């Protein structure tokens, strides 16, 4: 499946000479970060990689290894999920959508369980509709409507009762998109431009279908919400800045503080964690790495070590991985890495956040990207926990 994704998601990457900007006010460990980025290129085979680091709304460090043009829009695969969830949450803020309302109150459904799934389950991949391995959304044509996409997904047999099992990457986000189009009467792209891209100044960002990348975006009426965003590092950085600032950008509120908090709250603490994509180390509970597939009760009883893995995630929030969480379930380190190597993240403890961008298989670069991020975090004198994720990995959207 990865081969299909990578071949079809190809958008030309213009190359530029390697270089690095001066550090402005963040004491980044240049040696650690530089070495890790060089390893991504020299050891992992990426043509080039760029790191952008922010604090207090400012770009404080930028560094490039290899050849990459960070101004060129790139497909970001699963990094799309975070932005799609944010678009949906603008309607939750307005009361036009509700996280815990059964979708059967708004959409016609097919399978018996379909009508009782909720928006919260959709955004946390606990609807019971399987995982990315089903290829349920990606196999759909790009020229049907999101309403038709949702109807087809809802007619499929469910694998698990809604709200009981986490399986990453089902096509359920298409259903959220259908709800948005239903209440607005607009296409998803127009809503995205109006509610996020426009206000944030994301002028080089749009949605497409990853298996039909050569289509004009205007002809794609069924964009893949969990993996179809094309954007630049700077545009995604504007989105991260808004989240890091509690939902405010340039003095204008985009999301409420409550919406941001809900997006960064662990949603999978009480469900079975059944599917984690290739590259994911496992799940963390009380500092111990446990194997994927454990029920909530098994995790709370200590679980079993996942042999050989040092890093793990706590679970999933709404549209992003909750790498670490406090006792209340509030995520303190969140991210949304994608199969093509883009990895955005926010560290709430330090207020530092950033993004790595490239065009290479995430599962091949995850370890060195983790080392690169820890070089940034350790420069801020933050504790580095062995239960931190090397990217939630999970976010590699597809198998080798």
């Amino acid at each position: 499946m990865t081969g299909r994704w990578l071949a079809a998601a190809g958008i030309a990457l213009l190359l530029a000479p390697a270089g690095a900007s001066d550090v402005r006010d963040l004491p980044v460990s240049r040696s650690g970060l530089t070495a890790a980025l060089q390893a991504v290129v020299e050891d992992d085979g990426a043509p080039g990689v760029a790191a952008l680091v922010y604090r207090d709304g400012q770009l404080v460090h930028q560094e490039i290894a290899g050849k990459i043009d960070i101004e060129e829009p790139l497909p970001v695969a699963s990094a799309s999920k975070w932005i799609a969830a944010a678009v949906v949450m603008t309607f939750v803020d307005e009361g036009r959508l509700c996280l815990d309302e059964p979708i059967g109150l708004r959409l016609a459904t097919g399978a018996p369980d379909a009508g009782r799934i909720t928006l919260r389950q959709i955004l946390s991949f606990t609807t019971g509709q399987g995982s990315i391995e089903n290829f349920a959304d990606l196999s759909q044509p790009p020229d049907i409507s999101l309403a038709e996409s949702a109807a087809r997904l809802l007619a499929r047999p469910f694998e698990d009762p809604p709200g009981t099992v986490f399986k990453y990457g089902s096509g359920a986000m298409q259903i959220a998109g259908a709800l948005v189009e239903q209440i607005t009467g607009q296409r998803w792209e127009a809503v995205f431009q109006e509610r996020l891209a426009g206000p944030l100044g994301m002028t080089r960002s749009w949605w497409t279908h990853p298996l039909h990348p050569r289509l004009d975006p205007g002809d794609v009426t069924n964009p893949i919400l969990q993996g179809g965003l094309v954007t630049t590092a700077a545009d995604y950085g504007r989105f991260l800045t808004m989240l890091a600032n509690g939902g405010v950008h340039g003095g204008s509120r985009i999301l409420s503080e409550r919406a941001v908090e809900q997006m960064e709250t662990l949603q999978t603490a009480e469900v079975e964690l059944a599917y984690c994509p290739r590259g994911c180390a496992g799940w963390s509970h009380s500092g111990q790495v446990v194997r994927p597939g454990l029920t909530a009760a098994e995790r709370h009883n200590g679980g079993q070590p996942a042999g050989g893995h040092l890093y793990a995630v706590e679970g999933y929030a709404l549209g992003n991985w909750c790498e670490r969480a406090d006792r209340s379930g509030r995520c303190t380190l969140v991210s949304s890495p994608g199969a093509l190597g883009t990895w955005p993240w926010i560290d709430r403890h330090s207020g530092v956040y950033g993004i790595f961008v490239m065009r290479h298989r995430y599962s091949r670069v995850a370890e060195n990207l983790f080392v690169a991020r820890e070089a940034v975090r350790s420069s801020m004198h933050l504790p580095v926990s062995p239960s931190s994720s090397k990217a939630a990995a999970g976010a590699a959207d597809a198998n080798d």
Side-chain angles (χ1 to χ4, degrees):
M1 179 171 59
T2 299
R4 292 178 63 188
W5 177 287
L6 294 175
I11 293 180
L13 174 60
L14 301 180
L15 303 181
S21 67
D22 293 333
V23 179
R24 288 161 60 183
D25 67 356
L26 180 66
V28 172
S29 171
R30 289 292 293 274
S31 60
L33 177 60
T34 299
L37 295 181
Q38 287 293 341
V40 168
V41 174
E42 296 172 6
D43 299 338
D44 301 334
V49 57
L52 281 68
V53 181
Y54 300 81
R55 186 176 62 186
D56 297 328
Q58 300 296 317
L59 177 66
V60 296
H61 187 77
Q62 177 177 303
E63 188 162 341
I64 293 173
K67 295 180 179 180
I68 185 170
D69 181 356
I70 63 172
E71 300 299 324
E72 186 72 12
L74 290 174
V76 297
S78 274
S80 307
K81 293 175 172 66
W82 210 348
I83 289 183
V87 173
V88 174
M89 291 301 292
T90 66
F91 294 96
V92 175
D93 270 345
E94 295 174 357
R96 298 171 72 183
L97 289 175
C98 176
L99 285 174
D100 299 308
E101 177 185 87
I103 66 161
L105 298 179
R106 296 176 181 266
L107 295 177
T109 58
D113 285 327
R116 61 190 185 92
I117 68 174
T118 67
L119 193 56
R120 185 184 303 278
Q121 292 165 358
I122 288 171
L123 298 181
S124 62
F125 294 109
T126 57
T127 60
Q129 294 172 284
S131 70
I132 186 69
E133 291 187 323
N134 293 342
F135 220 60
D137 52 347
L138 290 163
S139 64
Q140 293 180 347
D143 56 353
I144 63 173
S145 66
L146 277 174
E148 176 61 23
S149 171
R152 295 185 186 187
L153 291 166
L154 290 169
R156 294 169 61 96
F158 277 51
E159 294 185 7
D160 307 288
T164 63
V165 175
F166 170 84
K167 290 181 179 177
Y168 181 75
S170 76
M173 279 194 166
Q174 302 300 99
I175 303 170
L179 288 169
V180 165
E181 290 193 348
Q182 181 190 73
I183 63 176
T184 63
Q186 296 177 285
R187 285 171 50 175
W188 173 266
E189 179 67 35
V191 175
F192 164 67
Q193 295 294 336
E194 178 182 297
R195 291 188 168 240
L196 276 190
L200 294 179
M202 298 172 66
T203 59
R204 307 187 74 189
S205 302
W206 63 86
W207 293 83
T208 187
H209 191 301
L211 299 190
H212 302 274
R214 295 183 180 180
L215 284 179
D216 186 297
D219 294 331
V220 177
T221 52
N222 184 28
I224 302 303
L225 303 194
Q226 69 161 325
L229 180 68
V230 177
T231 189
T232 65
D235 272 12
Y236 208 111
R238 293 181 180 93
F239 170 72
L240 293 175
T241 295
M242 179 272 292
L243 290 181
N245 198 34
V248 174
H249 175 78
S252 298
R253 181 160 291 284
I254 309 299
L255 285 170
S256 69
E257 290 186 11
R258 174 61 176 159
V260 176
E261 179 181 342
Q262 287 179 311
M263 289 179 68
E264 297 178 11
T265 297
L266 182 64
Q267 302 292 322
T268 57
E270 301 300 326
V271 303
E272 178 185 350
L273 302 175
Y275 176 77
C276 180
R278 186 177 298 274
C280 184
W283 313 104
S284 174
H285 178 65
S286 301
Q288 182 183 30
V289 179
V290 296
R291 70 179 187 274
L294 293 179
T295 65
E298 287 172 329
R299 294 201 306 279
H300 294 320
N301 288 333
Q304 298 292 326
H309 290 303
L310 294 178
Y311 313 111
V313 295
E314 293 286 346
Y316 207 74
L318 297 178
N320 61 94
W321 289 96
C322 185
E323 297 194 41
R324 298 175 66 182
D326 61 24
R327 292 182 180 274
S328 71
R330 183 69 185 273
C331 305
T332 57
L333 183 60
V334 290
S335 64
S336 188
L340 301 180
T342 295
W343 181 20
W345 53 273
I346 298 175
D347 186 331
R348 288 294 181 182
H349 277 320
S350 67
V352 175
Y353 54 101
I355 185 169
F356 299 104
V357 292
M358 71 184 77
R359 182 67 184 282
H360 199 59
R361 184 82 60 83
Y362 170 75
S363 59
R364 294 177 181 171
V365 300
E367 184 171 353
N368 281 316
L369 285 186
F370 173 78
V371 172
R373 189 183 67 177
E374 293 310 294
V376 174
R377 296 182 69 238
S378 62
S379 295
M380 297 299 297
H381 308 291
L382 294 172
V384 179
S385 167
S387 65
S388 293
S389 166
K390 42 181 159 179
D397 284 334
N399 296 323
D400 288 331

Coordinates of all heavy atoms in Angstrom, one line a residue, residues 288-348:
Q288 N 6.0 3.0 31.1 CA 6.4 1.7 30.5 C 5.8 1.5 29.1 O 4.6 1.9 28.9 CB 5.8 0.5 31.4 CG 6.2 -0.9 30.9 CD 5.6 -2.0 31.8 OE1 4.6 -1.8 32.3 NE2 6.3 -3.1 31.9
V289 N 6.6 0.9 28.2 CA 6.1 0.7 26.9 C 5.4 -0.7 26.9 O 5.9 -1.7 27.4 CB 7.3 0.6 25.9 CG1 6.7 0.3 24.5 CG2 8.0 2.0 25.9
V290 N 4.2 -0.7 26.4 CA 3.4 -1.9 26.3 C 3.0 -2.2 24.9 O 3.0 -1.3 24.0 CB 2.1 -1.8 27.2 CG1 2.5 -1.6 28.6 CG2 1.2 -0.6 26.7
R291 N 2.8 -3.4 24.6 CA 2.6 -3.8 23.2 C 1.2 -3.3 22.7 O 0.2 -3.2 23.4 CB 2.6 -5.4 23.1 CG 1.4 -6.1 23.7 CD 1.6 -7.6 23.6 NE 0.4 -8.3 24.0 CZ 0.1 -8.6 25.3 NH1 1.0 -8.4 26.2 NH2 -1.0 -9.2 25.6
P292 N 1.1 -3.0 21.4 CA -0.2 -2.7 20.8 C -1.1 -3.9 20.9 O -0.8 -5.0 21.0 CB 0.2 -2.5 19.3 CG 1.6 -2.2 19.3 CD 2.2 -3.0 20.4
G293 N -2.4 -3.5 21.0 CA -3.4 -4.5 21.1 C -3.9 -4.8 22.5 O -4.8 -5.6 22.7
L294 N -3.4 -4.1 23.5 CA -3.8 -4.3 24.9 C -5.2 -3.6 25.1 O -5.4 -2.5 24.6 CB -2.8 -3.8 25.9 CG -1.5 -4.5 25.9 CD1 -0.5 -3.8 26.9 CD2 -1.6 -6.0 26.3
T295 N -6.0 -4.2 25.9 CA -7.2 -3.5 26.4 C -6.9 -2.5 27.4 O -5.7 -2.5 28.0 CB -8.2 -4.5 27.0 OG1 -7.6 -5.1 28.2 CG2 -8.5 -5.6 26.0
A296 N -7.8 -1.6 27.7 CA -7.6 -0.6 28.7 C -7.2 -1.2 30.1 O -6.3 -0.8 30.8 CB -8.8 0.3 28.9
A297 N -8.0 -2.3 30.4 CA -7.7 -3.0 31.7 C -6.3 -3.6 31.8 O -5.6 -3.5 32.8 CB -8.7 -4.1 31.9
E298 N -5.9 -4.2 30.7 CA -4.5 -4.8 30.6 C -3.5 -3.7 30.8 O -2.5 -3.9 31.4 CB -4.3 -5.5 29.3 CG -5.1 -6.8 29.3 CD -5.1 -7.5 27.9 OE1 -5.0 -6.8 26.9 OE2 -5.1 -8.7 27.8
R299 N -3.7 -2.5 30.1 CA -2.7 -1.4 30.2 C -2.6 -0.9 31.7 O -1.6 -0.7 32.2 CB -3.1 -0.3 29.3 CG -3.0 -0.6 27.8 CD -2.9 0.6 27.0 NE -3.9 1.6 27.2 CZ -5.1 1.5 26.7 NH1 -5.5 0.5 26.0 NH2 -6.0 2.5 26.9
H300 N -3.8 -0.8 32.3 CA -3.8 -0.3 33.7 C -3.2 -1.3 34.6 O -2.7 -0.9 35.7 CB -5.2 0.1 34.1 CG -5.8 1.2 33.4 ND1 -5.1 2.3 33.0 CD2 -7.0 1.4 32.9 CE1 -5.8 3.2 32.3 NE2 -7.0 2.6 32.2
N301 N -3.1 -2.6 34.3 CA -2.5 -3.6 35.1 C -1.0 -3.7 34.8 O -0.4 -4.6 35.3 CB -3.2 -4.9 34.9 CG -4.6 -4.9 35.6 OD1 -4.8 -4.2 36.6 ND2 -5.5 -5.7 35.1
G302 N -0.5 -2.9 34.0 CA 0.9 -2.9 33.7 C 1.3 -3.4 32.3 O 2.4 -3.0 31.8
G303 N 0.5 -4.3 31.7 CA 0.8 -4.7 30.4 C 2.1 -5.5 30.2 O 2.6 -6.0 31.2
Q304 N 2.5 -5.6 29.0 CA 3.7 -6.3 28.7 C 4.7 -5.4 28.0 O 4.3 -4.6 27.2 CB 3.4 -7.6 27.9 CG 2.5 -8.6 28.6 CD 3.2 -9.2 29.7 OE1 4.4 -9.4 29.7 NE2 2.5 -9.5 30.8
P305 N 6.0 -5.5 28.3 CA 6.9 -4.7 27.6 C 6.9 -5.0 26.1 O 6.7 -6.1 25.7 CB 8.3 -5.1 28.2 CG 7.9 -5.7 29.5 CD 6.6 -6.3 29.3
A306 N 7.1 -4.0 25.2 CA 7.3 -4.2 23.8 C 8.7 -4.3 23.5 O 9.5 -3.4 23.6 CB 6.6 -3.1 23.0
G307 N 9.2 -5.5 23.3 CA 10.6 -5.8 23.2 C 11.4 -4.9 22.2 O 11.0 -4.7 21.1
G308 N 12.5 -4.3 22.7 CA 13.3 -3.6 21.8 C 13.0 -2.1 21.6 O 13.8 -1.3 21.1
H309 N 11.8 -1.7 22.0 CA 11.4 -0.3 21.7 C 11.6 0.6 23.0 O 11.3 0.2 24.1 CB 9.9 -0.2 21.4 CG 9.6 -0.8 20.0 ND1 10.2 -0.4 18.9 CD2 8.7 -1.9 19.7 CE1 9.7 -1.1 17.9 NE2 8.8 -2.0 18.3
L310 N 12.1 1.8 22.7 CA 12.4 2.7 23.8 C 11.4 3.8 23.9 O 11.2 4.4 24.9 CB 13.8 3.3 23.6 CG 15.0 2.4 23.7 CD1 16.3 3.1 23.5 CD2 15.0 1.7 25.1
Y311 N 10.6 4.0 22.8 CA 9.7 5.2 22.8 C 8.3 4.7 22.5 O 8.1 3.7 21.8 CB 10.2 6.2 21.7 CG 11.7 6.4 21.8 CD1 12.5 6.0 20.8 CD2 12.2 7.1 22.9 CE1 13.9 6.2 21.0 CE2 13.6 7.3 23.1 CZ 14.4 6.9 22.1 OH 15.7 7.1 22.2
A312 N 7.4 5.5 23.0 CA 6.0 5.1 22.8 C 5.1 6.3 22.8 O 5.6 7.4 23.2 CB 5.5 4.1 23.8
V313 N 3.8 6.2 22.5 CA 2.9 7.2 22.6 C 1.9 6.9 23.7 O 1.6 5.7 24.0 CB 2.1 7.5 21.3 CG1 3.1 8.0 20.3 CG2 1.5 6.2 20.8
E314 N 1.3 7.9 24.3 CA 0.2 7.6 25.3 C -1.0 7.1 24.6 O -1.8 6.3 25.1 CB -0.1 8.9 26.1 CG 1.0 9.3 27.0 CD 1.1 8.4 28.3 OE1 0.2 7.6 28.5 OE2 2.1 8.5 29.0
G315 N -1.3 7.7 23.4 CA -2.5 7.3 22.6 C -2.8 8.4 21.6 O -1.9 9.2 21.2
Y316 N -4.1 8.6 21.3 CA -4.5 9.5 20.3 C -5.4 10.6 20.9 O -6.2 10.2 21.8 CB -5.2 8.8 19.2 CG -5.1 9.6 17.9 CD1 -3.9 9.6 17.2 CD2 -6.2 10.2 17.3 CE1 -3.8 10.3 15.9 CE2 -6.1 10.9 16.1 CZ -4.9 10.9 15.4 OH -4.8 11.6 14.3
A317 N -5.3 11.8 20.4 CA -6.2 12.9 20.9 C -7.3 13.1 19.8 O -7.9 12.1 19.3 CB -5.4 14.1 21.2
L318 N -7.5 14.3 19.3 CA -8.4 14.6 18.2 C -7.6 15.1 17.1 O -7.2 16.3 17.0 CB -9.5 15.6 18.7 CG -10.4 15.2 19.8 CD1 -11.4 16.4 20.1 CD2 -11.2 14.0 19.4
G319 N -7.3 14.2 16.1 CA -6.6 14.6 14.9 C -5.1 14.6 15.1 O -4.4 15.1 14.2
N320 N -4.6 14.3 16.3 CA -3.1 14.3 16.5 C -2.8 13.2 17.6 O -3.6 12.8 18.4 CB -2.7 15.7 16.9 CG -3.3 16.2 18.2 OD1 -2.8 16.0 19.3 ND2 -4.5 16.8 18.1
W321 N -1.5 12.8 17.6 CA -1.0 11.9 18.6 C -0.7 12.6 19.9 O -0.1 13.6 19.9 CB 0.3 11.2 18.1 CG 0.0 10.2 16.9 CD1 0.2 10.5 15.6 CD2 -0.3 8.9 17.0 NE1 -0.1 9.4 14.9 CE2 -0.4 8.4 15.7 CE3 -0.6 8.0 18.1 CZ2 -0.8 7.0 15.5 CZ3 -1.0 6.7 17.9 CH2 -1.1 6.2 16.5
C322 N -1.1 11.9 21.0 CA -0.8 12.4 22.3 C 0.4 11.6 22.8 O 0.3 10.5 23.3 CB -2.0 12.1 23.2 SG -1.8 12.8 24.9
E323 N 1.6 12.2 22.5 CA 2.8 11.5 22.9 C 3.0 11.3 24.4 O 3.5 10.3 24.9 CB 4.0 12.2 22.2 CG 4.0 12.2 20.7 CD 5.3 12.6 20.1 OE1 6.4 12.1 20.7 OE2 5.3 13.4 19.2
R324 N 2.8 12.4 25.1 CA 2.8 12.4 26.5 C 1.6 13.1 27.1 O 1.2 14.1 26.5 CB 4.2 13.0 27.0 CG 5.4 12.3 26.5 CD 6.7 13.1 26.9 NE 6.9 13.1 28.4 CZ 7.9 13.7 29.0 NH1 8.7 14.4 28.3 NH2 8.0 13.6 30.3
A325 N 1.2 12.7 28.3 CA 0.0 13.3 28.9 C 0.2 13.4 30.4 O 0.9 12.6 31.0 CB -1.3 12.5 28.6
D326 N -0.4 14.4 31.0 CA -0.4 14.4 32.5 C -1.5 13.6 33.1 O -2.2 12.9 32.4 CB -0.5 15.9 32.9 CG -1.8 16.6 32.5 OD1 -2.8 15.8 32.3 OD2 -1.8 17.8 32.5
R327 N -1.6 13.6 34.4 CA -2.5 12.7 35.0 C -4.0 13.0 34.7 O -4.8 12.1 34.8 CB -2.3 12.8 36.6 CG -1.0 12.2 37.0 CD -0.9 12.3 38.6 NE 0.4 11.7 39.0 CZ 0.6 10.4 39.2 NH1 -0.3 9.5 39.0 NH2 1.8 10.0 39.6
S328 N -4.3 14.2 34.3 CA -5.6 14.5 33.9 C -6.0 14.1 32.5 O -7.1 14.2 32.1 CB -5.8 16.1 34.0 OG -5.1 16.8 33.0
G329 N -5.0 13.7 31.7 CA -5.2 13.3 30.3 C -4.9 14.4 29.4 O -5.0 14.2 28.2
R330 N -4.5 15.6 29.9 CA -4.1 16.7 29.0 C -2.7 16.4 28.4 O -1.8 16.1 29.1 CB -4.0 18.0 29.8 CG -3.7 19.2 28.9 CD -4.9 19.5 28.0 NE -4.5 20.6 27.1 CZ -4.7 21.9 27.4 NH1 -5.2 22.3 28.6 NH2 -4.4 22.8 26.5
C331 N -2.7 16.4 27.1 CA -1.4 16.1 26.4 C -0.4 17.2 26.5 O -0.7 18.4 26.4 CB -1.7 15.9 24.9 SG -3.0 14.6 24.6
T332 N 0.8 16.9 26.8 CA 1.9 17.8 27.0 C 2.9 17.8 25.8 O 3.7 18.7 25.7 CB 2.7 17.6 28.3 OG1 3.2 16.2 28.3 CG2 1.7 17.7 29.5
L333 N 2.8 16.8 25.0 CA 3.6 16.7 23.8 C 2.7 16.1 22.7 O 2.3 14.9 22.9 CB 4.9 15.9 24.1 CG 5.9 15.7 22.9 CD1 6.4 17.1 22.5 CD2 7.0 14.8 23.3
V334 N 2.5 16.8 21.7 CA 1.5 16.4 20.6 C 2.2 16.5 19.2 O 3.1 17.3 19.0 CB 0.2 17.2 20.6 CG1 -0.6 16.8 21.8 CG2 0.5 18.7 20.6
S335 N 1.7 15.6 18.3 CA 2.3 15.7 17.0 C 1.4 15.0 16.0 O 0.4 14.3 16.4 CB 3.7 15.0 17.0 OG 3.6 13.6 17.3
S336 N 1.8 15.1 14.7 CA 1.0 14.5 13.7 C 1.8 14.2 12.5 O 1.7 14.8 11.4 CB -0.2 15.4 13.2 OG -1.1 14.7 12.4
P337 N 2.8 13.2 12.6 CA 3.7 12.9 11.5 C 3.0 12.2 10.4 O 2.0 11.5 10.6 CB 4.7 12.0 12.2 CG 4.1 11.5 13.4 CD 3.1 12.5 13.9
G338 N 3.5 12.3 9.2 CA 2.9 11.7 8.0 C 3.9 10.8 7.3 O 5.1 10.8 7.5
A339 N 3.4 9.9 6.5 CA 4.1 8.8 5.9 C 5.2 9.4 4.9 O 6.2 8.7 4.6 CB 3.2 7.9 5.1
L340 N 5.1 10.6 4.5 CA 6.0 11.2 3.5 C 7.1 12.0 4.2 O 7.9 12.7 3.6 CB 5.3 12.0 2.5 CG 4.3 11.2 1.6 CD1 3.7 12.1 0.6 CD2 5.0 10.0 1.0
G341 N 7.2 11.9 5.6 CA 8.3 12.5 6.3 C 8.0 13.8 7.0 O 8.8 14.3 7.8
T342 N 6.9 14.5 6.8 CA 6.5 15.7 7.5 C 6.2 15.4 8.9 O 5.3 14.5 9.2 CB 5.4 16.5 6.8 OG1 5.9 16.9 5.5 CG2 5.0 17.7 7.6
W343 N 6.7 16.1 9.9 CA 6.4 15.9 11.3 C 6.3 17.2 12.1 O 7.2 17.8 12.5 CB 7.5 15.0 11.9 CG 7.3 14.7 13.3 CD1 6.1 14.7 14.0 CD2 8.3 14.2 14.3 NE1 6.3 14.3 15.3 CE2 7.7 14.0 15.5 CE3 9.7 14.0 14.2 CZ2 8.3 13.6 16.7 CZ3 10.4 13.6 15.3 CH2 9.7 13.4 16.5
P344 N 5.0 17.7 12.2 CA 4.8 18.8 13.1 C 4.6 18.4 14.5 O 4.0 17.3 14.8 CB 3.5 19.4 12.5 CG 2.8 18.2 12.0 CD 3.8 17.2 11.5
W345 N 5.0 19.3 15.5 CA 4.9 18.9 16.9 C 4.8 20.2 17.8 O 5.2 21.2 17.4 CB 6.1 18.0 17.3 CG 7.4 18.7 17.0 CD1 8.1 18.5 15.8 CD2 8.2 19.5 17.9 NE1 9.3 19.3 15.9 CE2 9.4 19.9 17.1 CE3 8.0 20.0 19.1 CZ2 10.3 20.7 17.6 CZ3 9.0 20.9 19.7 CH2 10.1 21.2 18.9
I346 N 4.2 20.0 18.9 CA 4.1 21.1 19.9 C 4.5 20.5 21.3 O 3.9 19.5 21.7 CB 2.8 21.7 20.0 CG1 2.4 22.4 18.7 CG2 2.7 22.8 21.1 CD1 0.9 22.9 18.7
D347 N 5.5 21.2 22.0 CA 5.8 20.8 23.3 C 5.2 21.8 24.3 O 5.7 23.0 24.3 CB 7.3 20.7 23.5 CG 7.8 20.2 24.8 OD1 7.1 20.4 25.8 OD2 8.9 19.6 24.9
R348 N 4.2 21.5 25.0 CA 3.5 22.4 25.9 C 4.3 22.8 27.1 O 4.1 23.9 27.7 CB 2.1 21.8 26.3 CG 1.1 21.8 25.2 CD 0.8 23.2 24.7 NE -0.3 23.2 23.7 CZ -0.7 24.4 23.1 NH1 -0.2 25.5 23.5 NH2 -1.6 24.3 22.2

